[in-house]
Amino acid sequence: MARRARRAGRPQRAPWAGPLGLYHPGATVLHRARPGLKLAGLAVLGVAVVVATGPLSAVLALGVAALLALVGRLPPHVTLRGLGPVLLTAALVGAYQWWARGWAVAVEVAVDLVALVLTAVVVTATTPSDRLLDTLTRLARPLRHVGLPPETFALAVGLMLRTVPVLARTAHEVRDAARARGLERDPRALLVPAAIRTVAHARSVGDALAARGLGEEPDGRPSRRARP
């Protein structure tokens, strides 16, 4: 009981938000840069890590990403914590590649993955979400020719950016609630409340979209877009 009380009395950590939803206000050169320029730089780095091969090129890409993070003055602790799952994934992928194809390929694949994600973190951390979505809407205008309105594409990206931190916070709160009851080892105490709250969040988002005319009509036909 005393152990549980000590756990319950500990200050709660801020929930992990992941690489998304990590905007950190600032006045650096990266904060002032145009979102389109930053997205173009991210695309160029993505092409570079595919074209260039070898551990040295991967380490150079990671060095560029780390330098950008320093220039953007990203909080180191929060950034590393958000990258935790990515680092774990890179370690597992690298271990498999080492076993299957050798250490050089393992280092290249794992480090390239971390470099790309860290660069994406820099973009989202130095760009307000509304400016990022406006830029994506303009870039997605050619999709109109294939039947996908750019506003719908931007809305989907915006929902993703906002949903991932919400789901992470839900999992964190459910885990704290189960720990306070001494049920942190019971899968039902973790999975059932998290699933219920996730479904409730999805329903509320769907109701909000439908209220703005972004759902479907009762006969299944797409509804008209909501007027501003």
Side-chain angles (χ1 to χ4, degrees):
M1 294 296 293
R3 185 178 179 182
R4 293 176 184 174
R6 287 196 301 270
R7 286 182 178 180
R10 288 186 304 181
Q12 295 185 1
R13 295 181 304 171
W16 173 78
L20 306 176
L22 195 68
Y23 177 64
H24 180 69
T28 68
V29 62
L30 289 178
H31 285 82
R32 297 192 300 269
R34 294 182 178 181
L37 182 61
K38 287 183 277 190
L39 290 175
L42 178 60
V44 169
L45 182 64
V47 172
V49 299
V50 172
V51 174
T53 58
L56 180 59
S57 64
V59 172
L60 289 176
L62 181 60
V64 171
L67 179 62
L68 292 174
L70 291 176
V71 173
R73 296 183 181 178
L74 272 63
H77 176 70
V78 177
T79 303
L80 289 176
R81 187 166 173 240
L83 289 174
V86 178
L87 295 175
L88 177 60
T89 301
L92 294 176
V93 172
Y96 172 76
Q97 292 293 337
W98 194 322
W99 173 76
R101 304 175 63 185
W103 71 268
V105 176
V107 172
E108 178 186 351
V109 172
V111 176
D112 278 345
L113 175 61
V114 176
L116 285 175
V117 175
L118 180 56
T119 306
V121 169
V122 173
V123 173
T124 58
T126 59
T127 311
S129 59
D130 55 346
R131 294 185 61 195
L132 183 62
L133 295 180
D134 289 342
T135 301
L136 290 175
T137 301
R138 291 194 297 270
L139 293 176
R141 284 175 181 171
L143 297 177
R144 191 184 302 274
H145 300 294
V146 296
L148 178 61
E151 296 83 2
T152 302
F153 172 77
L155 175 63
V157 175
L159 288 176
M160 181 187 68
L161 291 175
R162 287 165 174 78
T163 299
V164 172
V166 169
L167 296 181
R169 184 171 61 250
T170 296
H172 181 82
E173 293 173 352
V174 168
R175 184 183 61 185
D176 282 347
R179 180 181 298 162
R181 300 194 302 271
L183 300 174
E184 64 270 21
R185 297 184 182 275
D186 187 353
R188 293 174 298 179
L190 299 173
L191 297 179
V192 174
I196 292 175
R197 293 183 59 176
T198 299
V199 172
H201 175 73
R203 289 181 62 90
S204 64
V205 172
D207 291 342
L209 293 177
R212 289 163 175 78
L214 298 174
E216 292 184 346
E217 298 294 345
D219 59 1
R221 291 181 294 105
S223 65
R224 294 174 298 178
R225 288 187 302 170
R227 292 189 298 269

